[in-house]
Amino acid sequence: MMSISRRHFVSGVAGIGLSNLAAPYVVRAADGPIRVGLLTVKTGALASGGIDMERALVMYLKERDYMMAGRKVELVVGDTAGIPATARSKTQEMVEKNDVHCLIGPLAAFEALAIDDYIRQNKIPTLSVAAAEDMTQRNANPWFVRATSTSSQCAHPLGEYAAKELKFKKMITIADDIAYGQEMCAGFQRVFEDNGGQIIQKLFPPLTVPDYGSYVAQLKNADAIFLGFAGSNGFRFLRQFVDYGLKDKMQVIGGMTALDEAVLRNMGDEALGIITTCWYSAELDAKPNQVFAPAFRNEFKYDPGFYAASTYVNGAVLEAAVKAVDGKVEDKAALIAALRSSNVETARGPVKFDDLGNVVGNVYLRKVTRKDGRLVNSVFKTYPDVSQFWTYGKQAFLANPVYSREFPAAKNLER
């Protein structure tokens, strides 16, 4: 960590007007480092992704010698362990003890929901990784920007593709029983069914379930199954799915993190040909990614995926905003305004935001292939400028309830 610069005290202030005092204070504050808090997960079921978040953000800062707009950057990292109460206590510690100017993270939707009111009350500019839908929808947090995506933002295009191009008629969805998995599957279901498909079964195992055998055993006959898992759970489920001999009977497609690059390195031929949807792939030819992906692979011996790219992209968004405010991050209102008005080229491609603080950006369909002996997510189709509202329109979309296990209603479940 970078040390805090010597603070200069104003002496002999008697008789000096308040306006004269203000300028030395601002100069003094701007002499210190920009303190960035990273809320991530380093232990528990989501740790593989959380560790990647830290690795990539450290890489971004190292590439810039820990400098933004002429000021040193000090990174404070907190392990939330994927527990909402811990996410909240780590946030409070960063704000009240470490005096951070902004937050990056947290990872999980349920963590973001746990700190939502605290961010609002304390007016902390937050660059989220978590996909919690309503924080940029019906209950939008004005101190929150998301350069990754909502839970369903990338599932919407795949729902259309599965019905229209892959011609699937009947599908199953399965995901961790957390807000992220529920919202993602709901968005996929809505678009898939709006395009003529049917979801005949929905399964939500607990996030920390030790074994997927009982879930694999109860799968109904369908054309395909959509995986909405996070962390390493998609890899664990797929291994048992293959062991049960189902790979040749039912096609597999997945959401943003089901076959993340971080877990592909542990997989074999069972992953080949599986289509997933995401706002990122290590194979992207975006200029910043031509720096990021090879450097990450060189240092850690595997490709960066969703989790690593999330903080690297947020680093770029933050740097653009810090430059826009000329390094004066103490002005929190100016910083969040600059973040929300960003239009910057990143490792995921161009990033800009809607009026609720959520990214409008490219979504990529990817297929697992082999390249130079390793498994990669090869991009074969790009949906440009995808909004969190897909093609439904903001007003119509927000008139409905937030995506959940109950909405949209499942009208085609087979008993």
Side-chain angles (χ1 to χ4, degrees), residues 243-265:
D243 288 346
Y244 273 70
L246 293 177
K247 183 84 190 297
D248 296 328
K249 298 178 181 177
M250 188 186 305
Q251 290 199 52
V252 177
I253 61 176
M256 297 184 285
T257 49
L259 294 185
D260 187 67
E261 281 84 348
V263 298
L264 271 184
R265 68 184 189 271

Side-chain angles (χ1 to χ4, degrees), residues 116-334:
D116 180 22
D117 63 329
Y118 186 85
I119 294 169
R120 292 173 193 261
Q121 290 163 9
N122 292 277
K123 300 179 179 179
I124 308 300
T126 301
L127 294 90
S128 179
V129 171
E133 304 254 318
D134 240 9
M135 289 184 70
T136 57
Q137 292 179 7
R138 298 153 202 81
N139 193 32
N141 185 324
W143 295 95
F144 186 95
V145 294
R146 178 165 38 218
T148 50
S149 72
T150 65
S151 308
S152 64
Q153 195 164 354
C154 297
H156 286 146
L158 183 58
E160 179 183 272
Y161 188 84
K164 285 187 172 181
E165 305 297 327
L166 298 177
K167 308 294 185 185
F168 295 152
K169 300 298 182 188
K170 294 186 175 185
M171 287 193 64
I172 297 165
T173 63
I174 185 168
D176 306 302
D177 197 8
I178 56 178
Y180 171 69
Q182 294 162 12
E183 292 170 356
M184 187 196 310
C185 287
F188 178 85
Q189 174 190 325
R190 183 182 184 185
V191 177
F192 181 66
E193 293 191 334
D194 282 353
N195 283 277
Q198 295 183 350
I199 299 298
I200 64 166
Q201 188 177 25
K202 295 164 67 172
L203 297 171
F204 291 103
L207 178 64
T208 55
V209 68
D211 183 87
Y212 289 105
S214 63
Y215 294 92
V216 174
Q218 63 181 288
L219 293 177
K220 299 183 181 297
N221 292 323
D223 298 322
I225 184 168
F226 171 84
L227 311 184
F229 293 112
S232 58
N233 288 349
F235 155 66
R236 292 174 54 234
F237 174 84
L238 188 61
R239 180 155 286 178
Q240 290 193 265
F241 183 85
V242 171
D243 288 346
Y244 273 70
L246 293 177
K247 183 84 190 297
D248 296 328
K249 298 178 181 177
M250 188 186 305
Q251 290 199 52
V252 177
I253 61 176
M256 297 184 285
T257 49
L259 294 185
D260 187 67
E261 281 84 348
V263 298
L264 271 184
R265 68 184 189 271
N266 299 315
M267 301 182 77
D269 289 349
E270 73 274 11
L272 285 172
I274 293 179
I275 291 172
T276 59
T277 179
C278 192
W279 48 265
Y280 177 75
S281 165
E283 297 298 292
L284 287 179
D285 58 6
K287 275 193 175 180
N289 194 51
Q290 292 173 357
V291 174
F292 170 51
F296 190 95
R297 187 184 309 122
N298 183 60
E299 184 164 350
F300 302 111
K301 310 310 176 193
Y302 60 94
D303 288 314
F306 171 103
Y307 301 99
S310 69
T311 49
Y312 197 86
V313 166
N314 272 315
V317 174
L318 176 60
E319 184 176 23
V322 170
K323 287 178 178 176
V325 298
D326 197 25
K328 298 183 178 76
V329 295
E330 288 76 16
D331 187 340
K332 295 188 288 186

